[in-house]
Amino acid sequence: MAAPSFRTGSPSDCPSAPPSTRPPGTGRPWAVVLVACAGTFLVVLDVSVVNVALPSMRSDLGMSAAALQWVVNAYSIAFSGFMLLGGRAADLYGQKRMFLLGLGVFTAASVAGGLAQEGWQLLAARAVQGLGAAVLSPATLTLVTSAVPEGQARTRAIGTWAAVGAGGGAAGGFVGGVLTDFLGWRWVLLVNVPVGALVLLAAALWVREVRTGRRRRLDLPGAVLVTGGLASFSYGVVQTEQTGWTDPRTAVPLLAGLLLLAVFAVVEARTRDPLMPLKVFRSRAVAAANAALFVTSSATFTMWFFMTMYAQNVLGYGPLQAGLALVPSSVSVIVGSKLGPRLIPLVGARRLAVAGALTAAAGFAWQSAMEPHGAYATAVLGPGILMMTGVGLAITPLASLATAGAAPGDAGLVSGLTNTSRTMGGAVGLAVLATVAASRTAGATTPEALTAGYALAFRTGTGILLAAALLMLLWLPRPEPEPAAA
């Protein structure tokens, strides 16, 4: 695949412009973007790639059904809990350094997980993987925004980053199915090792260090509070799948997480060098785009889960067949993400984000008409393409708005905040919509009952996306009027 070009024009287009607006020391832009995209692909892929391998893991390691869920949850909780800390660390200690550290930890944990002989070893490796991903993920977006000058070139670069990230999440089921069927479940984790080693080498050679924050101490109380708050809240969210929302095992960690985050906000307002300066939320673009990402992700993240369940539990597809069935949807989200940078200059970031959310909502509404014996073209292919094209169109303008107003010293933090909004939105949305689906099935496992539950989840997701479109329309900043020509 040819490397994307991020050049915006020749020097003759603007004689008074400086020779280069790229920050010094960022290396070749295309190489940095390539490395960052490879890192984010690995991180997002591992959120879902293990799903189809869980039955094989259970039989091989003798894990219980409850322990099996923590193969996914251990990664998600560590990933969500440490992401803001990872973003601020990139500002203070260097983007390249944190990228290499996070990827190194992630790759080493993949080795440990792939060679695990006991269930607890696999769970510990997945938690460490999530920690490495939390350090790595914010650095990927920060590297992109630091390497490419602000403007259309950066928008295209962010579109590429968003497309690769969305493609990683979409490809999880397919990649996991192929590896599990042909090589065994261990390769779901071990495949990260050669890829991670190549990306580490490329980053060491092509990426130069950038430290955007001034030298200062890390806000340790803030780090402990926000990490504990996000991890506790994430734990409560994943517990809803087993115990429901009102059980103390769910309610206590949820409330504790919210309390810790509230204390974190109070502490940050009074700290001289806060981990997360609350002033970043004074930017309407940052606040509104992160809120929109949270709400949008709460619906769109669930699409892969329910579509996979529908394909396997209702239509009778195997793991590999289900993964192949969703390949067109995976391609659609990449196409939508790549179209975004081309459409933003024509219609504006705000309008494009709203249009993307409405397109995804139309796909969700179509999918909610699913039937127990639906045909592939109308029950999977058509609505999947429409949903994921809309998601791709919305991601790029929202990510661009969320990072455009960040001060150089807060670039890593804002990148971490953007990724946290997407991740936490997806986790909360999956818990809520899974509860909605379960309320309709009432424990029944017939194709008719399961279809009714999945359909209700998609109808609820349609309403969430319409609410997200309204939020964007009212809150996202309008474009500045062009000055009158002399």
Side-chain angles (χ1 to χ4, degrees):
M1 178 182 295
S5 173
F6 302 107
R7 187 178 175 188
T8 56
S10 64
S12 61
D13 294 335
C14 185
S16 61
S20 174
T21 57
R22 188 171 73 242
T26 54
R28 300 175 181 177
W30 68 264
V32 176
V33 172
L34 180 63
V35 168
C37 287
T40 200
F41 182 85
L42 284 176
V43 166
V44 178
L45 180 74
D46 266 61
V47 174
S48 58
V49 74
V50 299
N51 287 340
V52 297
L54 292 178
S56 300
M57 294 176 178
R58 180 178 185 179
S59 60
D60 195 12
L61 300 179
M63 302 175 69
S64 66
L68 204 63
Q69 293 187 4
W70 284 98
V71 176
V72 178
N73 295 339
Y75 181 88
S76 300
I77 291 173
F79 188 25
S80 302
F82 286 89
M83 195 149 1
L84 280 181
L85 180 58
R88 178 50 91 195
D91 290 329
L92 299 182
Y93 306 121
Q95 299 166 6
K96 178 180 178 180
R97 184 177 299 174
M98 289 300 103
F99 182 91
L100 294 175
L101 175 62
L103 184 55
V105 170
F106 180 87
T107 305
S110 299
V111 176
L115 301 178
Q117 301 301 313
E118 301 287 343
W120 68 266
Q121 296 172 353
L122 177 60
L123 298 183
R126 287 288 287 171
V128 177
Q129 254 194 325
L131 175 61
V135 176
L136 168 64
S137 185
T140 62
L141 183 54
T142 309
L143 285 174
V144 170
T145 57
S146 297
V148 184
E150 189 169 355
Q152 292 187 20
R154 180 180 293 180
T155 302
R156 290 196 297 271
I158 292 176
T160 301
W161 172 87
V164 171
F174 172 68
V175 173
V178 171
L179 293 174
T180 303
D181 282 353
F182 291 100
L183 297 176
W185 71 263
R186 295 184 182 276
W187 279 97
V188 170
L189 299 171
L190 292 177
V191 72
N192 295 325
V193 179
V195 179
L198 287 175
V199 178
L200 277 170
L201 178 61
L205 294 176
W206 292 344
V207 180
R208 298 178 185 176
E209 187 58 275
V210 177
R211 184 183 289 108
T212 54
R214 60 185 176 84
R215 292 186 177 273
R216 60 183 178 184
R217 292 183 178 180
L218 183 66
D219 174 20
L220 187 58
V224 171
L225 286 170
V226 73
T227 301
L230 289 173
S232 178
F233 186 81
S234 300
Y235 176 82
V237 167
V238 300
Q239 280 291 99
T240 60
E241 299 177 19
Q242 295 178 316
T243 62
W245 290 89
T246 58
D247 189 279
R249 289 171 291 180
T250 297
V252 170
L254 283 175
L255 294 176
L258 293 175
L259 178 61
L260 288 172
L261 293 176
V263 175
F264 167 72
V266 173
V267 170
E268 296 304 279
R270 301 180 179 182
T271 302
R272 180 177 179 182
D273 289 323
L275 176 74
M276 187 177 72
L278 300 182
K279 65 182 181 181
V280 299
F281 292 107
R282 296 174 188 169
S283 168
R284 181 175 178 178
V286 172
N290 276 281
L293 280 169
F294 182 92
V295 178
T296 303
S297 298
S298 68
T300 57
F301 182 83
T302 64
M303 176 268 186
W304 303 112
F305 174 80
F306 286 113
M307 290 291 281
T308 303
M309 293 297 101
Y310 173 63
Q312 296 188 64
N313 296 339
V314 177
L315 300 181
Y317 294 2
L320 181 57
Q321 190 180 7
L324 288 172
L326 295 178
V327 166
S329 302
S330 306
V331 174
S332 298
V333 74
I334 296 173
V335 171
S337 299
K338 293 300 293 179
L339 282 176
R342 300 177 181 273
L343 295 176
I344 287 176
L346 300 177
V347 301
R350 173 172 163 271
R351 291 177 179 174
L352 182 60
V354 171
L358 292 176
T359 303
F364 268 68
W366 184 0
Q367 188 64 61
S368 69
M370 60 176 63
E371 298 177 351
H373 305 288
Y376 171 70
T378 56
V380 177
L381 179 63
I385 290 176
L386 193 59
M387 283 187 280
M388 289 299 101
T389 301
V391 171
L393 290 174
I395 287 177
T396 301
L398 289 177
S400 299
L401 288 170
T403 57
D410 294 328
L413 172 68
V414 172
S415 299
L417 183 62
T418 301
N419 283 288
T420 300
S421 298
R422 293 172 62 183
T423 305
M424 293 300 297
V428 172
L430 181 57
V432 171
L433 294 185
T435 302
V436 168
S439 68
R440 174 58 61 91
T441 59
T445 58
T446 63
E448 292 76 14
L450 292 174
T451 301
Y454 301 152
L456 180 59
F458 277 105
R459 281 196 294 273
T460 307
T462 303
I464 293 174
L465 286 169
L466 292 176
L470 181 61
L471 182 149
M472 297 175 199
L473 195 62
L474 297 178
W475 196 3
L476 286 177
R478 298 176 183 271
E480 293 292 334
E482 294 291 337

